[in-house]
Amino acid sequence: MTETLRSDALRRGRPGYDQRGILEVAVAAFNEHGYDATSIGMLADRLGLSKSAIYHHVASKDELLGLALDEALDGLEGVLRAPEATTGAASDRLAFVLRGAVRVLADRLPYVTLLLRVRGNTDVERAALARRRAFDHAVAELVAEARAEGSLRTDADPAVVARLLFGMINSLTEWYTPAGPLTPDDLADTILALALR
Amino acid sequence: MTETLRSDALRRGRPGYDQRGILEVAVAAFNEHGYDATSIGMLADRLGLSKSAIYHHVASKDELLGLALDEALDGLEGVLRAPEATTGAASDRLAFVLRGAVRVLADRLPYVTLLLRVRGNTDVERAALARRRAFDHAVAELVAEARAEGSLRTDADPAVVARLLFGMINSLTEWYTPAGPLTPDDLADTILALALR
């Protein structure tokens, strides 16, 4: 949401936000101030909307959080369900999943950033953590298969290797800017060069 | 600081905290609630001390933050200054630095966790970030030398490789428990197997 779009919406007197636009502004605020410290009133100020206009689109702040976490998790789970993740050599499937995760992270950066900060304080957060654990478990399975195939550089516990590989990928949320010179595929190439034989 | 020590100190009526003990409790509180949300009054409650007893040991909350960040940064900078980090083949020096960083992280886990959350909101935080950048820069130099030597698995930008390697190492703050079965050296072995030829 750019400043121009926002001021256009204000000028017209009929702010053009749909649920998606509200979600984008909410996720930016959650990442900047923390979920707990962000109120619907703060979002209303940022959007130039009344609180009741926001409640026309979403039932609660909790629903916004759930929608935001779905955005990250649906993307990651979509990678795992693709045919390239389910058939073929384990090293190819693992490479596809790591590359796909980098792409989801780059495409949905604020949503994945938010997901990585979730600590399980509410039902919505606990449900997201359960989905994240299932994702991690599936990656660890792939690492185990790649190790059995001999295509991994280490004999360490597959769950530890999966955590370290995603440590690398998730650290992109600390410094990666999609507008910069590095494409998600460049980054994925580097990560795969480090991870696989 | 264990519960037993704390209740002993309370029972004796002369709480046995020195600056170090206060620092440990402060860092745990900063990591749990955030630096901004932690007050000297909260620390006094946790410690079973009066606020003035705390001010006997430290001038301010800001000083506690500075001491805590020094603890992490002194450890990391100490690794860079060791003879094994300054002489020999670049791949050996890089391996020594990565292994040393894992050990510092494991030994000083709450302090490094706090350092990784610093965003530069105060002079103390900005000074810590400058030291962290200098550390990252030195690691990127080592990566460049190891690449020139042919001992790295990728031709990518050394600064990017350094960030990814430390992404892996720093992600340990999310899940590593020093009391668990994995030693810092086990973890360093796995990280080095991924990073170096």
Side-chain angles (χ1 to χ4, degrees):
Chain A
M1 192 60 51
T2 67
E3 282 303 320
T4 316
L5 270 176
R6 204 176 309 173
S7 57
D8 278 357
L10 287 172
R11 206 163 32 239
R12 286 199 312 272
R14 333 170 253 108
Y17 290 105
D18 53 8
Q19 191 190 62
R20 179 77 201 184
I22 292 170
L23 184 60
E24 280 181 24
V25 171
V27 169
F30 294 162
N31 282 330
E32 194 177 332
H33 303 291
Y35 175 73
D36 289 336
T38 305
S39 65
I40 290 284
M42 285 167 64
L43 297 180
D45 286 346
R46 283 197 175 203
L47 289 156
L49 292 177
S50 65
K51 289 205 270 184
S52 65
I54 294 181
Y55 287 124
H56 178 70
H57 292 287
V58 289
S60 63
K61 194 174 79 156
D62 212 40
E63 189 186 346
L64 279 169
L65 180 63
L67 290 168
L69 297 175
D70 281 347
E71 186 73 16
L73 288 161
D74 290 350
L76 292 169
E77 291 166 355
V79 173
L80 279 184
R81 275 194 308 268
E84 296 92 328
T86 50
T87 50
S91 63
D92 292 340
R93 286 182 281 137
L94 179 58
F96 175 83
V97 168
L98 297 178
R99 187 177 291 281
V102 172
R103 208 174 286 133
V104 167
L105 184 141
D107 288 347
R108 309 184 186 194
L109 193 55
Y111 299 94
V112 177
T113 301
L114 187 66
L115 175 65
L116 296 178
R117 293 182 186 172
V118 159
R119 289 294 171 267
N121 298 326
T122 63
D123 285 346
V124 165
E125 292 197 1
R126 281 185 285 275
L129 282 187
R131 286 172 71 186
R132 201 183 149 194
R133 272 194 301 273
F135 179 84
D136 291 347
H137 186 73
V139 174
E141 283 290 315
L142 265 179
V143 169
E145 290 177 52
R147 190 176 77 163
E149 240 182 41
S151 37
L152 212 71
R153 294 200 194 281
T154 164
D155 284 334
D157 176 354
V160 170
V161 174
R163 279 176 176 158
L164 292 172
L165 293 176
F166 268 82
M168 228 180 337
I169 292 174
N170 293 336
S171 74
L172 297 176
T173 59
E174 300 286 325
W175 61 270
Y176 180 62
T177 36
L182 283 169
T183 68
D185 274 345
D186 293 336
L187 287 166
D189 286 342
T190 305
I191 290 167
L192 290 174
L194 293 172
L196 295 172
R197 275 188 206 282
Chain B
M1 193 59 52
T2 66
E3 282 304 318
T4 316
L5 272 175
R6 204 176 310 172
S7 58
D8 277 357
L10 287 171
R11 206 165 31 239
R12 285 199 311 273
R14 333 169 253 108
Y17 290 107
D18 54 9
Q19 191 190 62
R20 179 77 202 184
I22 292 170
L23 185 60
E24 280 181 25
V25 171
V27 169
F30 296 162
N31 282 330
E32 192 178 332
H33 302 293
Y35 175 73
D36 289 337
T38 304
S39 65
I40 291 283
M42 284 166 65
L43 297 180
D45 284 348
R46 283 197 178 204
L47 288 156
L49 293 177
S50 65
K51 288 206 269 182
S52 65
I54 293 181
Y55 287 124
H56 178 71
H57 292 285
V58 289
S60 64
K61 194 175 77 157
D62 212 39
E63 189 188 345
L64 280 170
L65 180 63
L67 289 168
L69 297 174
D70 281 347
E71 185 73 16
L73 288 161
D74 291 349
L76 292 170
E77 291 165 356
V79 174
L80 279 184
R81 274 195 309 268
E84 298 92 328
T86 50
T87 50
S91 63
D92 291 340
R93 286 183 281 138
L94 179 59
F96 175 83
V97 169
L98 297 178
R99 188 178 290 282
V102 172
R103 208 174 286 134
V104 168
L105 184 142
D107 288 348
R108 308 183 186 195
L109 193 55
Y111 299 93
V112 177
T113 301
L114 187 66
L115 175 65
L116 296 177
R117 293 184 186 170
V118 158
R119 289 294 171 267
N121 298 325
T122 63
D123 285 345
V124 166
E125 292 197 2
R126 281 185 287 274
L129 282 186
R131 287 172 70 187
R132 201 184 149 192
R133 272 195 301 272
F135 179 84
D136 291 347
H137 186 73
V139 173
E141 282 292 316
L142 265 180
V143 168
E145 291 177 52
R147 190 177 75 163
E149 241 182 40
S151 38
L152 212 72
R153 295 200 194 280
T154 164
D155 285 333
D157 176 356
V160 170
V161 174
R163 278 174 177 160
L164 291 172
L165 294 176
F166 269 81
M168 228 179 339
I169 292 173
N170 293 338
S171 74
L172 297 176
T173 59
E174 300 285 325
W175 61 270
Y176 180 62
T177 35
L182 283 169
T183 69
D185 275 344
D186 293 335
L187 287 165
D189 285 342
T190 305
I191 289 168
L192 290 173
L194 294 172
L196 295 170
R197 275 189 208 283

